[in-house]
Amino acid sequence: MCHSCHSDPEVQTEIRIAGIRGIQGVVRKTVNDELRATIWEPQHMDKIVPSLLFNMQKIEDNDSRIGPPASPSVTEKEENPGVLAENCFRELLGRAAYGNMNNAVRPVFAHLDHHKLWESNEFAVSCFKIIMYSIQAQYSHHVIQQILGHLDFHKKSSPRIRAGIVQVLLEAVAIAAKGSIGPTVLEVFNTLLRHLTLSVDFEMGDRRSSSGSASYQTTSKESEERIVQNAIIQTIGFFGSNLPDYQRSEIMMFIMGKVPVFGSSHTLDTSQLGDLGTKRIQIMLLRSLLMVTSGYKSKTIAAALPSPILDPLLSPSLMEDSELRQLVLEILHNLIDRHDNRAKLRGIRIIPDVGDLKIKRDKSSRQDVSFMKKHGQQLYRHIYLGCKEDDNVHKNFELLYTALALLTIELANEEVVIDLIRVAIALQDLAITNEDNLQMFNRCSIMALVAAYLNFLSQMIAVPAFCQHVSKVIETRQMDAPYFLPEVIFRDKCSLPKSLEKHDKNVYFLTNKIAESLGGSGYSVERLSVTYVPQVTDEDRLSRRKSIVDTISIQVDIMTGSNTEDKVTVNTEEITFESLKKAIDNTGMEEQEKEKRRLVIEKFQKAPFEEIAAQCESKANMLHDKLAQILELTIRPPPSPSGTITITAGHAQYQSIPVYEMKFPDLCVY
């Protein structure tokens, strides 16, 4: 009766209404009747649900479906089969217990599949809105699980079908997120990320198979897969943004763990995708992460950027493409900006008065200071190397400027300010010397970036002499080198210089002038004289053999600083940079001593090999002579580095004293 196709429309409507009323009576009878146990069986649900859906499709006005149950008039209930069917469907779902949920919802998927209603999915979306609003809130996660399962069922279907199912999932999640999602949080993200990978795989496969066909067909295939990918990313972002902070942090680490980067144990198999497919996966996952991090606020930077997120995010593997670098910087902006200042910094420019921006900031907490001591060099390195890329465009430089400004606002104490100035001066030197053979546009853009940032920084720390020096350089550039300013170089048409060698020093920011101005205001400026060099990361150590010089420099430094005893300790532990750094932190040495050791390490990393060898040999000889002088010993060196030495003191003789080798075969410590 519900499917009546009588030739007379009025008779057809009456028959259908009678059929729907009959179903409604059966549903209501299940409350306190023996039919309760049998009506939910699949053979009955497979008839009841499609009959109701068939009539609901006839509703021309969709407004009644988009929300909680409507209250139609008595006339509508009596005369409109669609409205009556919808209310009966809501009533049926409202009475469904957890164990019956699968039988009640499964026929909906079958009906939508049979009538091909996923592609033009307005009806599919409205059906699941009705379902989500009608069922008991604690059962929402069960419906989401069924949608995910149906998405898996259609994993090889056309892109439009998959996109339609993902859109339905988005609407269901939007409603469920207001209540309880239950245990399906990670399952939702895992399934969506898996289908994102499949979509990229299909896109790359279509590109390979269609390489000899018309470009129109290839573009059409790719654009359809892009619809799926965008729908998935939108769903991930919406779902993530509705989660509480503690769950959102877990999801951020979960997504970042999927991003394929060098040296990480990511869980997505990209071996069959090739370089282009891997890059596409990286972009899609970073776009998803960008959506999840939007609006995220954390009390401490360490909570927003733990190592499982920060290390792969700043990996060189994500610096090989301009778009990837832009996404990484935008994610960093979301996580660092805790006071919503980013919109005020939009656009790289010389700001006449930073006070007009009304920047919101708090004093750096102890946790933030500790974070910068531990991870600051990683952030500086990423910004420095990001400026060197030859495929940078205007947006890249704008995002790099914003990153420097946000670091200044959120995390800058006196030590960080000095480090940021060192980075800025190093970037200026990079543009002048041009050891990386950058194009003139990139060199001038770096100069403009440095000018915009130092102008911002000088006003933020409010040191008059520093502000005066920066302002003077900017005024000189306006007259003699306007292409060194962001307002000029980033215009559509800008005349570029042929070289940068002929410019007067007054157009450059000078380290000695900055040191003099800051020193007068109480800043510790000794480190400004040390040129900034990017820190060597763990990823670099994975990709090359550990430097012998690193180990020797540390060991020699320790030997010269330790007390000489009559007996030599037998067990020596190999000391690396990381273990030394940890030891320094644990013993709470003063900042001056830390800086001294860092400068020693940096010297040994940069010095020529011959100079290091000569210095080590000289220190070894001094130790030998001093030991012999104090103890009046006669020390006979061993015939080989791995042998033993003989020490004679008066008439006593001690043999078989072991020799502990250093990393050089001709240098030994005894």
Side-chain angles (χ1 to χ4, degrees), residues 439-475:
Q439 299 177 9
M440 186 56 68
F441 169 78
N442 294 67
R443 297 171 69 185
C444 292
S445 297
I446 292 173
M447 299 292 280
L449 166 64
V450 172
Y453 174 63
L454 288 181
N455 172 70
F456 177 82
L457 175 64
S458 63
Q459 295 186 56
M460 287 297 294
I461 63 176
V463 175
F466 185 26
C467 292
Q468 186 177 0
H469 172 65
V470 172
S471 299
K472 187 175 180 180
V473 172
I474 291 174
E475 289 174 4

CSV table of all heavy atoms in Angstrom, one decimal, residues 439-475:
chain,number,residue,atom,x,y,z
A,439,GLN,N,68.1,33.6,-6.6
A,439,GLN,CA,67.7,34.6,-7.6
A,439,GLN,C,67.6,36.0,-6.9
A,439,GLN,O,67.5,36.1,-5.7
A,439,GLN,CB,66.3,34.3,-8.2
A,439,GLN,CG,66.3,33.0,-9.0
A,439,GLN,CD,64.9,32.6,-9.5
A,439,GLN,OE1,64.0,33.5,-9.4
A,439,GLN,NE2,64.7,31.4,-10.0
A,440,MET,N,67.7,37.0,-7.7
A,440,MET,CA,67.8,38.4,-7.1
A,440,MET,C,66.5,38.7,-6.4
A,440,MET,O,66.5,39.3,-5.3
A,440,MET,CB,68.0,39.4,-8.2
A,440,MET,CG,68.2,40.8,-7.7
A,440,MET,SD,69.5,41.0,-6.5
A,440,MET,CE,70.9,40.7,-7.5
A,441,PHE,N,65.3,38.2,-6.9
A,441,PHE,CA,64.1,38.4,-6.2
A,441,PHE,C,64.1,37.8,-4.8
A,441,PHE,O,63.7,38.4,-3.8
A,441,PHE,CB,62.9,37.8,-7.0
A,441,PHE,CG,61.6,37.8,-6.2
A,441,PHE,CD1,60.8,38.9,-6.0
A,441,PHE,CD2,61.1,36.6,-5.6
A,441,PHE,CE1,59.6,38.9,-5.3
A,441,PHE,CE2,60.0,36.6,-4.9
A,441,PHE,CZ,59.2,37.7,-4.7
A,442,ASN,N,64.6,36.6,-4.6
A,442,ASN,CA,64.7,35.9,-3.3
A,442,ASN,C,65.6,36.7,-2.4
A,442,ASN,O,65.3,36.9,-1.2
A,442,ASN,CB,65.2,34.5,-3.5
A,442,ASN,CG,64.2,33.6,-4.2
A,442,ASN,OD1,63.9,33.8,-5.4
A,442,ASN,ND2,63.6,32.7,-3.6
A,443,ARG,N,66.7,37.2,-2.9
A,443,ARG,CA,67.7,37.9,-2.1
A,443,ARG,C,67.1,39.2,-1.6
A,443,ARG,O,67.2,39.5,-0.4
A,443,ARG,CB,69.0,38.2,-2.9
A,443,ARG,CG,69.7,36.9,-3.3
A,443,ARG,CD,70.9,37.3,-4.3
A,443,ARG,NE,71.9,38.0,-3.6
A,443,ARG,CZ,73.0,38.5,-4.2
A,443,ARG,NH1,73.1,38.3,-5.6
A,443,ARG,NH2,73.9,39.1,-3.6
A,444,CYS,N,66.4,39.9,-2.5
A,444,CYS,CA,65.8,41.2,-2.0
A,444,CYS,C,64.6,40.9,-1.1
A,444,CYS,O,64.4,41.7,-0.1
A,444,CYS,CB,65.3,42.0,-3.3
A,444,CYS,SG,66.6,42.6,-4.3
A,445,SER,N,63.9,39.8,-1.3
A,445,SER,CA,62.8,39.4,-0.4
A,445,SER,C,63.3,39.1,1.0
A,445,SER,O,62.6,39.5,2.0
A,445,SER,CB,62.0,38.2,-1.0
A,445,SER,OG,61.5,38.5,-2.2
A,446,ILE,N,64.4,38.4,1.1
A,446,ILE,CA,65.0,38.1,2.4
A,446,ILE,C,65.4,39.4,3.1
A,446,ILE,O,65.1,39.6,4.3
A,446,ILE,CB,66.2,37.2,2.3
A,446,ILE,CG1,65.8,35.8,1.8
A,446,ILE,CG2,67.0,37.1,3.6
A,446,ILE,CD1,66.9,34.9,1.5
A,447,MET,N,66.0,40.4,2.3
A,447,MET,CA,66.3,41.7,2.9
A,447,MET,C,65.1,42.4,3.4
A,447,MET,O,65.1,43.0,4.5
A,447,MET,CB,67.1,42.5,1.9
A,447,MET,CG,68.4,41.9,1.4
A,447,MET,SD,69.7,41.9,2.7
A,447,MET,CE,70.3,43.5,2.6
A,448,ALA,N,64.0,42.3,2.7
A,448,ALA,CA,62.8,43.0,3.1
A,448,ALA,C,62.2,42.3,4.3
A,448,ALA,O,61.6,43.0,5.2
A,448,ALA,CB,61.8,42.9,1.9
A,449,LEU,N,62.3,41.0,4.4
A,449,LEU,CA,61.8,40.2,5.5
A,449,LEU,C,62.5,40.6,6.8
A,449,LEU,O,61.9,40.9,7.8
A,449,LEU,CB,61.9,38.7,5.3
A,449,LEU,CG,61.8,37.8,6.5
A,449,LEU,CD1,60.4,37.8,7.0
A,449,LEU,CD2,62.2,36.3,6.1
A,450,VAL,N,63.8,40.7,6.7
A,450,VAL,CA,64.7,41.1,7.8
A,450,VAL,C,64.3,42.6,8.3
A,450,VAL,O,64.2,42.8,9.5
A,450,VAL,CB,66.2,41.1,7.5
A,450,VAL,CG1,67.0,41.6,8.6
A,450,VAL,CG2,66.6,39.6,7.2
A,451,ALA,N,64.1,43.5,7.3
A,451,ALA,CA,63.7,44.8,7.7
A,451,ALA,C,62.4,44.9,8.4
A,451,ALA,O,62.2,45.6,9.4
A,451,ALA,CB,63.7,45.7,6.4
A,452,ALA,N,61.4,44.2,7.8
A,452,ALA,CA,60.1,44.2,8.5
A,452,ALA,C,60.1,43.6,9.9
A,452,ALA,O,59.5,44.1,10.8
A,452,ALA,CB,59.1,43.4,7.6
A,453,TYR,N,60.9,42.5,10.0
A,453,TYR,CA,60.9,41.9,11.3
A,453,TYR,C,61.7,42.7,12.4
A,453,TYR,O,61.2,42.9,13.5
A,453,TYR,CB,61.5,40.5,11.2
A,453,TYR,CG,61.7,39.8,12.6
A,453,TYR,CD1,60.6,39.6,13.4
A,453,TYR,CD2,63.0,39.6,13.1
A,453,TYR,CE1,60.7,39.1,14.7
A,453,TYR,CE2,63.1,39.1,14.4
A,453,TYR,CZ,62.0,38.8,15.2
A,453,TYR,OH,62.2,38.4,16.5
A,454,LEU,N,62.9,43.2,12.0
A,454,LEU,CA,63.6,44.0,13.0
A,454,LEU,C,62.9,45.3,13.4
A,454,LEU,O,63.0,45.8,14.5
A,454,LEU,CB,65.0,44.3,12.4
A,454,LEU,CG,66.0,43.2,12.4
A,454,LEU,CD1,67.3,43.6,11.8
A,454,LEU,CD2,66.1,42.5,13.7
A,455,ASN,N,62.1,45.8,12.4
A,455,ASN,CA,61.2,47.0,12.7
A,455,ASN,C,60.2,46.6,13.8
A,455,ASN,O,59.9,47.3,14.8
A,455,ASN,CB,60.6,47.5,11.5
A,455,ASN,CG,59.5,48.6,11.8
A,455,ASN,OD1,59.8,49.7,12.1
A,455,ASN,ND2,58.3,48.2,11.6
A,456,PHE,N,59.6,45.4,13.6
A,456,PHE,CA,58.6,44.9,14.6
A,456,PHE,C,59.3,44.6,15.9
A,456,PHE,O,58.8,45.0,17.0
A,456,PHE,CB,57.9,43.7,14.0
A,456,PHE,CG,56.9,43.0,14.9
A,456,PHE,CD1,55.6,43.5,15.0
A,456,PHE,CD2,57.3,42.0,15.7
A,456,PHE,CE1,54.7,43.0,15.9
A,456,PHE,CE2,56.4,41.4,16.6
A,456,PHE,CZ,55.1,41.9,16.7
A,457,LEU,N,60.4,43.9,15.9
A,457,LEU,CA,61.1,43.5,17.1
A,457,LEU,C,61.6,44.7,17.9
A,457,LEU,O,61.4,44.7,19.2
A,457,LEU,CB,62.3,42.6,16.8
A,457,LEU,CG,63.2,42.2,17.9
A,457,LEU,CD1,62.4,41.3,18.9
A,457,LEU,CD2,64.4,41.4,17.4
A,458,SER,N,62.1,45.7,17.2
A,458,SER,CA,62.7,46.8,18.0
A,458,SER,C,61.6,47.6,18.7
A,458,SER,O,61.8,48.1,19.8
A,458,SER,CB,63.4,47.8,17.0
A,458,SER,OG,62.5,48.3,16.0
A,459,GLN,N,60.4,47.7,18.1
A,459,GLN,CA,59.3,48.4,18.8
A,459,GLN,C,58.7,47.5,19.9
A,459,GLN,O,58.2,48.0,20.9
A,459,GLN,CB,58.2,48.7,17.8
A,459,GLN,CG,58.7,49.7,16.8
A,459,GLN,CD,57.5,50.2,15.9
A,459,GLN,OE1,56.5,50.7,16.3
A,459,GLN,NE2,57.7,50.0,14.6
A,460,MET,N,58.8,46.2,19.8
A,460,MET,CA,58.2,45.3,20.8
A,460,MET,C,59.1,45.3,22.1
A,460,MET,O,58.5,45.3,23.2
A,460,MET,CB,58.1,43.9,20.3
A,460,MET,CG,57.0,43.6,19.3
A,460,MET,SD,55.3,43.9,20.0
A,460,MET,CE,55.2,42.6,21.2
A,461,ILE,N,60.4,45.4,21.9
A,461,ILE,CA,61.3,45.4,23.1
A,461,ILE,C,61.5,46.8,23.6
A,461,ILE,O,62.0,47.1,24.7
A,461,ILE,CB,62.6,44.7,22.9
A,461,ILE,CG1,63.4,45.4,21.8
A,461,ILE,CG2,62.3,43.2,22.5
A,461,ILE,CD1,64.8,44.7,21.6
A,462,ALA,N,61.2,47.8,22.7
A,462,ALA,CA,61.2,49.3,23.1
A,462,ALA,C,62.5,49.7,23.7
A,462,ALA,O,62.6,50.3,24.8
A,462,ALA,CB,60.1,49.5,24.1
A,463,VAL,N,63.6,49.4,22.9
A,463,VAL,CA,64.9,50.0,23.3
A,463,VAL,C,65.2,51.2,22.3
A,463,VAL,O,65.3,51.0,21.1
A,463,VAL,CB,66.0,48.9,23.1
A,463,VAL,CG1,67.4,49.6,23.3
A,463,VAL,CG2,65.8,47.8,24.1
A,464,PRO,N,65.2,52.4,22.8
A,464,PRO,CA,65.2,53.6,21.9
A,464,PRO,C,66.4,53.6,20.9
A,464,PRO,O,66.2,53.9,19.7
A,464,PRO,CB,65.4,54.7,22.9
A,464,PRO,CG,64.7,54.2,24.2
A,464,PRO,CD,65.1,52.8,24.2
A,465,ALA,N,67.6,53.2,21.4
A,465,ALA,CA,68.8,53.2,20.5
A,465,ALA,C,68.6,52.2,19.4
A,465,ALA,O,69.0,52.4,18.2
A,465,ALA,CB,70.0,53.0,21.3
A,466,PHE,N,68.1,51.0,19.7
A,466,PHE,CA,67.8,50.0,18.7
A,466,PHE,C,66.8,50.5,17.7
A,466,PHE,O,67.0,50.3,16.5
A,466,PHE,CB,67.4,48.7,19.4
A,466,PHE,CG,67.2,47.5,18.5
A,466,PHE,CD1,67.9,47.4,17.3
A,466,PHE,CD2,66.4,46.5,18.9
A,466,PHE,CE1,67.8,46.3,16.5
A,466,PHE,CE2,66.2,45.4,18.1
A,466,PHE,CZ,66.9,45.3,16.9
A,467,CYS,N,65.7,51.0,18.2
A,467,CYS,CA,64.7,51.6,17.3
A,467,CYS,C,65.2,52.6,16.4
A,467,CYS,O,64.9,52.7,15.2
A,467,CYS,CB,63.5,52.2,18.1
A,467,CYS,SG,62.5,51.0,19.0
A,468,GLN,N,66.1,53.5,16.9
A,468,GLN,CA,66.7,54.5,16.1
A,468,GLN,C,67.6,54.0,15.0
A,468,GLN,O,67.5,54.4,13.8
A,468,GLN,CB,67.5,55.4,17.0
A,468,GLN,CG,68.1,56.7,16.3
A,468,GLN,CD,68.8,57.6,17.2
A,468,GLN,OE1,68.9,57.3,18.4
A,468,GLN,NE2,69.3,58.7,16.7
A,469,HIS,N,68.4,53.0,15.3
A,469,HIS,CA,69.2,52.3,14.2
A,469,HIS,C,68.4,51.7,13.1
A,469,HIS,O,68.6,51.9,11.9
A,469,HIS,CB,70.1,51.3,14.9
A,469,HIS,CG,70.9,50.5,13.9
A,469,HIS,ND1,71.8,51.0,13.0
A,469,HIS,CD2,70.8,49.1,13.5
A,469,HIS,CE1,72.3,50.1,12.2
A,469,HIS,NE2,71.7,48.9,12.5
A,470,VAL,N,67.3,51.0,13.5
A,470,VAL,CA,66.5,50.3,12.6
A,470,VAL,C,65.7,51.3,11.7
A,470,VAL,O,65.7,51.2,10.5
A,470,VAL,CB,65.4,49.4,13.3
A,470,VAL,CG1,64.4,48.9,12.3
A,470,VAL,CG2,66.1,48.2,14.0
A,471,SER,N,65.2,52.4,12.3
A,471,SER,CA,64.5,53.4,11.6
A,471,SER,C,65.5,54.1,10.6
A,471,SER,O,65.1,54.4,9.4
A,471,SER,CB,63.9,54.4,12.5
A,471,SER,OG,63.0,53.8,13.4
A,472,LYS,N,66.7,54.3,11.0
A,472,LYS,CA,67.7,55.0,10.1
A,472,LYS,C,68.0,54.2,8.9
A,472,LYS,O,68.1,54.7,7.8
A,472,LYS,CB,68.9,55.3,10.9
A,472,LYS,CG,70.0,56.2,10.1
A,472,LYS,CD,71.1,56.5,11.0
A,472,LYS,CE,72.2,57.4,10.2
A,472,LYS,NZ,73.3,57.7,11.1
A,473,VAL,N,68.1,52.8,9.1
A,473,VAL,CA,68.4,51.9,8.0
A,473,VAL,C,67.2,51.9,7.0
A,473,VAL,O,67.4,52.0,5.8
A,473,VAL,CB,68.8,50.5,8.5
A,473,VAL,CG1,68.8,49.5,7.3
A,473,VAL,CG2,70.1,50.5,9.3
A,474,ILE,N,66.0,51.9,7.5
A,474,ILE,CA,64.8,51.8,6.7
A,474,ILE,C,64.7,53.1,5.9
A,474,ILE,O,64.4,53.1,4.7
A,474,ILE,CB,63.6,51.6,7.6
A,474,ILE,CG1,63.6,50.1,8.1
A,474,ILE,CG2,62.3,51.8,6.7
A,474,ILE,CD1,62.5,49.8,9.1
A,475,GLU,N,65.0,54.3,6.5
A,475,GLU,CA,64.9,55.5,5.8
A,475,GLU,C,66.0,55.6,4.7
A,475,GLU,O,65.7,56.1,3.6
A,475,GLU,CB,65.2,56.7,6.8
A,475,GLU,CG,64.0,56.9,7.7
A,475,GLU,CD,64.3,58.0,8.8
A,475,GLU,OE1,65.4,58.5,8.7
A,475,GLU,OE2,63.5,58.2,9.7
